């Protein structure tokens, strides 16, 4: 496509440039150094899923990781969480290597993972009790969190009685309650309908703005990545490599109308070109539609 | 043009109305009963034998005897040719096919009739004995089978260590161990409980392990990212997440324990319901036999219905309504002015919930 839009970098206002400059001067919370991940395939060969991934996340940054489906985004964030081990390379949290999952890295999954046998309040209490808070303290903090996410009325409900959006809100509260250093999110709104998703995005930004939390957010949705993030890490597929680190030229706080502004559209198109596969994928299909209505003037 | 068909009650996987369900429930019992009544009360439908009412001059038969129709006719022909008085009789069903009213009467009288010999068990004692054997065997099996199964399902270490042998062992039919159990444990209740244990345990362990393995990995990972220790994950995530399914397994296994009862009760000294049934069959009192069978079915059915109801109460998140225990706890531990909200009207309760959440 021949673009009429100018380069997104030139569209960055001085304020935004200044903000981003200040951002990268903040302390590094989490970083990866030359991360590699291989999976054995059924034929016995090794499939390199992640290749030489190095990046840094700064305090209170909102970093998105975007890439085509199957490029290893989930694998990467699972390694950051400690749920998967890297083949080689290092992950540091506050300078200390990460080896196992822990409460200082909260995670929200795409699948609804609230414990169905616990009430909403008890779900939020789970992490707090895991890090050694006693029951009463945990309950108080949990109720405060439910208040923050506007679900205090549902404290005694079981997750099965809530809608998908509400469940993800509780999942966010549950992950944030033990005060993690970073919040890892793997396509958390992927299963929600479009309207709820927009609502959840604004809601997440509001929470993020008001507490000291660094967010690493995996998505394959371009709009979502640009709308939410300070910086976006675009990955290539096969093997998953860092393609480019994009600085988003939008000011904060973000507003829905920014989705129509030229800065947004230019950035979006830039990333779209980056992650769209340059070569034809083997699982791509061509349409072979046969005309069965005769009259095609109708459309 | 396609014709819209009204398939009525026979729609695929479409829920029936409440009324239809009740009618079908009634029919599912009424139809077999009707068949039984027809065979018992309508003459010439089955009735293959003759009950002798008047033996006439026959030396071979006495009143009350049940004989084949052909034998009856031959005897009468012989008596007639000899000039004697012929036998008279009516068509009857064999002794092993008593009529419904006889069995219904036996359902009561079986409990009231004392045993024929001193020292033998009454009917209710036999039932009690059987239930005790099944529950003891099942309890001991569960005491070992459930924790070991959960360990095998959680830690691959125990899975590899324990399960191969169990898988091998469970293909021995439990009755094979009957003589061994008697030799080791004597002739009283111990070998019977051991048979139930063997029959249940070696099925129970792999079943519990499998169910435990079906615990949702995503929930375990979520717990890990919340900083839960291994112990906490086992106790607070894996076990609760499979508990409703484990409970269902237990209901199935309890049914199996019942089937092993028949083997167990003929081991050593015969006892319990099987003994009672054998004894009654020896006396050719078949209505008692059927009464005993019906009682066993009822015990099994009510036991399972109770367990199903109980399961709904203790796993409220499965059926999405608060169980009776949860509601009771709410009443007891709730704020003072909320105690016994059952007496509140719907409107009052709504108001209270609003205040409570505000
Ligand atoms: N446990 C695993 N074993 C083998 N291959 C895996 C495993 N997990 C992921 N992969 C492979 O790694 C690649 C990246 O997967 P994933 O991280 O889920 O991609 P994304 O989240 O970006 O869609 C895929 O090709 C997938 O087949
Ligand atoms: Mg993924």
């Amino acid at each position: 496509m021949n673009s009429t839009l100018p380069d997104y970098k030139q569209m960055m206002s001085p304020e935004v440039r200044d903000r981003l400059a200040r951002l990268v001067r903040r302390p590094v919370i989490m970083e990866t150094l030359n991360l590699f991940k291989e999976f054995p395939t059924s034929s016995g060969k090794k499939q390199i899923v992640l290749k030489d991934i190095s990046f840094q996340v700064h305090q209170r940054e909102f970093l998105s990781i975007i890439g085509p489906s199957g490029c290893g985004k989930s694998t990467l964030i699972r390694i950051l969480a400690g749920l998967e081990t890297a083949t080689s390379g290092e992950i540091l949290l506050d300078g200390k290597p990460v080896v196992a999952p822990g409460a200082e890295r909260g995670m929200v999954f795409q699948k609804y993972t609230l414990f169905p046998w616990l009430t909403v309040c008890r779900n939020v209490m789970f992490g707090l009790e895991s890090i050694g808070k006693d029951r009463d303290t945990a309950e108080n903090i949990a109720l405060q969190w439910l208040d923050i996410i506007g679900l205090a009325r549902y404290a005694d409900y079981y997750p099965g009685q809530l809608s998908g959006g509400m469940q993800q809100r509780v999942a966010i509260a549950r992950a944030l309650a033990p005060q993690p250093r970073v919040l890892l999110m793997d396509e958390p709104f992927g299963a929600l309908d479009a309207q709820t998703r927009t609502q959840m995005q604004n809601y997440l930004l509001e929470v993020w703005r008001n507490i000291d939390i660094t967010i690493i957010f995996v998505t394959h949705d371009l709009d979502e990545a640009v709308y939410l993030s300070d910086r976006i890490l675009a990955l290539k597929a096969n093997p998953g490599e860092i393609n480019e680190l994009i600085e988003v030229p939008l000011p904060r706080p973000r507003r829905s109308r920014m989705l129509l502004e030229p800065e947004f559209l230019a950035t979006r198109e830039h990333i779209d070109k980056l992650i769209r596969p340059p070569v034809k994928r083997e699982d791509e299909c061509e349409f072979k539609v046969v005309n069965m209505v005769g009259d095609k003037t109708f459309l | 043009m396609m014709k819209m068909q009204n398939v009525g009650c026979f729609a695929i996987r479409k829920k029936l109305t409440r009324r239809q369900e009740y009618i079908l429930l009634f029919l599912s019992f009424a139809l077999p009963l009707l068949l039984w009544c027809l065979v018992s009360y309508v003459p010439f439908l089955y009735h293959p034998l003759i009950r002798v009412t008047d033996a006439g001059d026959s030396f071979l038969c006495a009143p009350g005897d049940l004989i084949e129709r052909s034998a009856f006719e031959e005897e009468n022909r012989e008596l007639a040719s000899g000039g004697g008085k012929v036998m008279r009789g009516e068509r009857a069903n064999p002794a092993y096919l008593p009529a419904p009213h006889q069995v219904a009467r036996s359902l009561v009288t079986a409990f009231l009739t004392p045993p024929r010999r001193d020292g033998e068990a009454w009917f209710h004692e036999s039932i009690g004995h059987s239930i005790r054997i099944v529950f003891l065997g099942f309890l001991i099996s569960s005491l070992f089978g459930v924790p070991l199964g959960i360990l095998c399902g959680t830690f691959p270490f125990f899975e590899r260590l324990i399960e191969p042998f169990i898988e091998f062992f469970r293909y021995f039919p439990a009755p094979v161990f009957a003589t061994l159990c008697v030799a080791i444990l004597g002739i009283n209740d111990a070998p019977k409980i051991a048979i139930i244990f063997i029959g249940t345990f070696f099925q129970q362990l792999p079943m519990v392990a499998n169910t435990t393995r079906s615990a949702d990995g995503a929930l375990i990972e979520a717990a890990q990212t919340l900083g839960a220790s291994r112990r906490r994950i086992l106790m607070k995530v894996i076990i609760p997440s499979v508990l409703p399914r484990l409970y269902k397994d237990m209901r199935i296994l309890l049914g199996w324990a019942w089937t092993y009862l028949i083997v167990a009760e003929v081991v050593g000294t015969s006892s319990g319901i099987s003994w009672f049934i054998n004894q009654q069959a020896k006396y050719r009192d078949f209505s008692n036999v059927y009464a005993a069978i019906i009682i066993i079915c009822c015990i099994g059915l009510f036991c399972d219905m109770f367990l199903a109801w109980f399961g709904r109460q203790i796993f409220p998140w499965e059926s999405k309504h608060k169980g009776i225990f949860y509601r009771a706890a709410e009443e007891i531990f709730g704020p003072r002015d909320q105690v016994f909200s059952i007496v509140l009207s719907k409107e009052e309760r709504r108001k209270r919930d609003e205040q409570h959440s505000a």
Side-chain angles (χ1 to χ4, degrees):
Chain A
M1 198 174 86
N2 220 339
S3 173
T4 51
L5 289 163
D7 183 13
Y8 79 100
K9 278 180 196 152
Q10 266 120 54
M11 303 176 81
M12 200 180 283
S13 67
E15 296 86 65
V16 175
R17 198 181 303 275
D18 180 49
R19 196 180 157 274
L20 286 168
R22 274 188 288 129
L23 176 77
V24 294
R25 282 201 300 273
R26 288 213 210 111
V28 174
I29 296 280
M30 201 170 193
E31 67 182 314
T32 69
L33 297 168
N34 310 101
L35 204 66
F36 283 80
K37 178 70 184 175
E38 291 168 358
F39 279 119
T41 57
S42 49
S43 60
K45 275 185 284 181
K46 287 198 178 108
Q47 179 198 3
I48 300 175
V49 173
L50 292 176
K51 188 178 165 195
D52 201 14
I53 306 276
S54 306
F55 66 90
Q56 297 182 325
V57 193
H58 300 267
Q59 193 193 7
R60 298 205 61 196
E61 175 171 0
F62 199 124
L63 179 89
S64 285
I65 298 172
I66 196 166
S69 165
C71 73
K73 306 182 292 293
S74 295
T75 309
L76 176 56
I77 203 153
R78 285 169 57 81
I79 292 175
L80 297 182
L83 295 169
E84 201 102 51
T85 46
T87 311
S88 70
E90 247 188 318
I91 310 119
L92 302 175
L93 180 77
D94 291 320
K96 288 185 283 293
V98 164
V99 283
E104 71 288 347
R105 280 155 291 134
M107 182 139 174
V108 179
F109 301 80
Q110 174 172 9
K111 259 183 85 178
Y112 303 142
T113 55
L114 293 183
F115 304 121
W117 58 92
L118 295 180
T119 58
V120 165
C121 181
R122 289 299 196 78
N123 261 288
V124 180
M125 284 163 68
F126 187 92
L128 291 161
E129 287 179 321
S130 295
I131 59 168
K133 293 260 193 297
D134 66 75
R135 188 123 172 206
D136 289 340
T137 323
E139 187 163 3
N140 279 334
I141 301 176
L143 288 174
Q144 280 170 26
W145 269 104
L146 290 181
D147 219 20
I148 292 172
I149 61 168
L151 292 177
R153 269 162 45 76
Y154 297 92
D156 285 338
Y157 281 56
Y158 286 104
Q161 294 169 296
L162 304 186
S163 71
M166 283 153 109
Q167 287 193 44
Q168 283 308 62
R169 258 147 82 187
V170 179
I172 292 171
R174 183 179 68 171
L176 288 176
Q179 296 190 306
R181 296 288 287 159
V182 285
L183 181 63
L184 308 171
M185 307 181 91
D186 188 2
E187 306 196 24
F189 310 142
L192 303 178
D193 61 86
Q195 210 173 353
T196 317
R197 186 187 311 194
T198 315
Q199 210 181 329
M200 290 291 290
Q201 287 162 356
N202 290 323
Y203 166 77
L204 177 65
L205 285 179
E206 201 53 33
V207 173
W208 169 74
R209 214 155 69 92
N210 287 295
I211 60 172
D212 176 11
I213 188 76
T214 309
I215 297 183
I216 303 180
F217 190 100
V218 163
T219 180
H220 66 256
D221 182 338
L222 284 171
D223 296 315
E224 186 169 64
V226 179
Y227 184 61
L228 295 177
S229 332
D230 295 317
R231 298 190 302 165
I232 300 170
L233 197 67
L235 296 186
K236 274 195 278 234
N238 283 326
E241 258 183 302
I242 295 185
N243 201 336
E244 196 180 313
L245 187 63
I246 296 121
E247 300 189 319
V248 178
L250 296 176
R252 292 210 184 254
R254 301 280 157 86
R255 296 280 174 256
S256 306
R257 62 179 150 70
M258 291 179 186
L259 289 169
L260 303 171
E261 280 170 14
E263 289 96 323
F264 182 90
L265 296 172
T267 317
R268 188 190 185 291
E269 197 188 275
H270 177 76
I271 303 170
D272 191 20
K273 271 198 210 129
L274 274 182
I275 65 171
R276 190 184 297 154
V279 286
K280 214 174 115 215
R281 281 165 44 166
E282 43 193 286
D283 60 348
E284 215 166 282
C285 62
E286 274 170 26
F287 292 110
K288 286 202 185 121
V289 186
V290 180
N291 180 12
M292 295 197 289
V293 288
D295 177 18
K296 284 205 269 191
T297 55
F298 181 58
L299 289 176
Chain B
M1 224 177 73
M2 239 187 337
K3 210 172 90 186
M4 286 294 275
Q5 272 187 335
N6 184 3
V7 289
C9 315
F10 297 103
I12 291 172
R13 286 215 170 174
K14 192 157 162 274
K15 230 173 132 39
L16 296 168
T17 64
R18 241 328 192 320
R19 220 183 94 138
Q20 286 169 326
E21 274 175 0
Y22 281 125
I23 292 174
L24 290 175
L25 177 68
F26 171 75
L27 284 181
S28 90
F29 282 92
L31 288 178
L33 189 66
L34 182 71
L35 188 69
W36 188 16
C37 287
L38 285 177
V39 169
S40 300
Y41 298 132
V42 180
F44 316 117
L45 210 68
Y46 184 51
H47 291 75
L49 302 180
I50 301 274
R51 173 174 289 112
V52 179
T53 50
D54 175 8
D57 287 340
S58 170
F59 297 109
L60 296 172
C61 304
D65 280 1
L66 278 175
I67 52 175
E68 293 274 349
R69 217 151 48 192
S70 55
F72 179 84
E73 275 157 13
E74 193 166 324
E75 177 74 1
N76 265 357
R77 225 177 296 127
E78 226 152 78
L79 285 172
S81 68
K85 201 176 146 208
V86 293
M87 296 195 292
R88 253 174 295 156
E90 58 191 13
R91 296 183 60 157
N93 275 331
Y96 59 79
L97 194 66
H101 73 272
Q102 292 170 310
V103 174
R105 195 172 338 116
S106 288
L107 278 175
V108 181
T109 55
F111 286 100
L112 301 177
T113 333
R116 297 212 180 185
R117 265 178 279 162
D118 275 352
E120 283 183 349
W122 285 65
F123 182 42
H124 61 89
E125 287 172 332
S126 296
I127 293 176
H129 189 265
S130 291
I131 292 178
R132 207 173 69 231
I133 296 284
V134 169
F135 278 87
L136 274 176
F138 187 72
L139 191 76
I140 296 172
S141 166
S142 304
L143 238 43
F144 293 95
V146 173
L148 279 177
I150 289 175
L151 272 187
C152 288
T154 309
F155 300 102
F157 177 86
F158 291 105
E159 179 189 339
R160 287 275 155 242
L161 182 68
I162 296 173
E163 274 193 72
F165 178 72
I166 301 283
E167 288 286 342
F168 161 73
F169 209 81
R170 78 176 178 156
Y171 286 102
F172 286 107
V176 164
F177 298 96
T179 35
L180 207 57
C181 287
V182 173
I184 298 170
L185 297 167
I187 55 166
N188 287 324
D189 287 353
K192 300 177 201 302
I193 296 171
I195 291 285
I196 304 261
F197 173 85
I198 291 170
T200 314
F201 177 79
F202 293 98
Q203 312 290 337
Q204 190 169 36
L205 194 146
M207 207 160 164
V208 170
N210 254 336
T211 304
T212 309
R213 270 192 286 275
S214 75
D216 190 350
L219 295 185
I220 297 173
E221 289 185 344
Q224 285 176 325
T225 61
L226 288 166
S229 61
R230 268 182 314 167
R231 187 194 148 82
R232 193 167 156 76
I233 289 173
L234 177 59
M235 303 305 288
K236 299 282 166 143
V237 179
I238 294 180
I239 292 179
S241 82
V242 296
L243 213 52
R245 266 167 286 163
L246 280 183
Y247 186 81
K248 271 186 204 131
D249 288 354
M250 290 300 134
R251 274 169 58 197
I252 295 170
L253 284 161
L254 190 59
W256 287 10
W258 270 105
T259 60
Y260 279 109
L261 180 69
I262 306 306
V263 180
E265 283 187 336
V266 297
V267 166
T269 49
S270 171
S271 69
I273 291 184
S274 326
W275 170 83
F276 180 85
I277 289 177
N278 280 336
Q279 209 69 356
Q280 298 304 317
K282 258 186 227 158
Y283 303 140
R284 302 194 64 74
D285 200 346
F286 282 99
S287 57
N288 273 347
V289 171
Y290 284 92
I293 291 171
I294 289 175
I295 298 269
I296 297 176
C297 292
C298 288
I299 293 174
L301 183 67
F302 287 130
C303 195
D304 196 62
M305 273 165 60
F306 170 76
L307 290 176
W309 172 84
F310 190 70
R312 281 197 298 278
Q313 304 311 316
I314 55 176
F315 306 123
W317 65 90
E318 288 275 289
S319 50
K320 288 178 186 162
H321 74 81
K322 291 176 182 174
I324 189 166
F325 299 110
Y326 186 92
R327 287 209 304 269
E330 232 178 18
E331 298 292 347
I332 294 165
F333 300 113
R336 265 274 156 264
D337 60 325
Q338 282 183 29
V339 169
F340 302 128
S341 65
I342 297 160
V343 297
L344 299 179
S345 71
K346 227 177 188 172
E347 185 60 21
E348 284 171 316
R349 207 175 304 173
R350 194 185 56 77
K351 223 174 253 167
R352 184 205 67 182
D353 286 347
E354 243 166 39
Q355 279 172 1
H356 185 52
S357 61

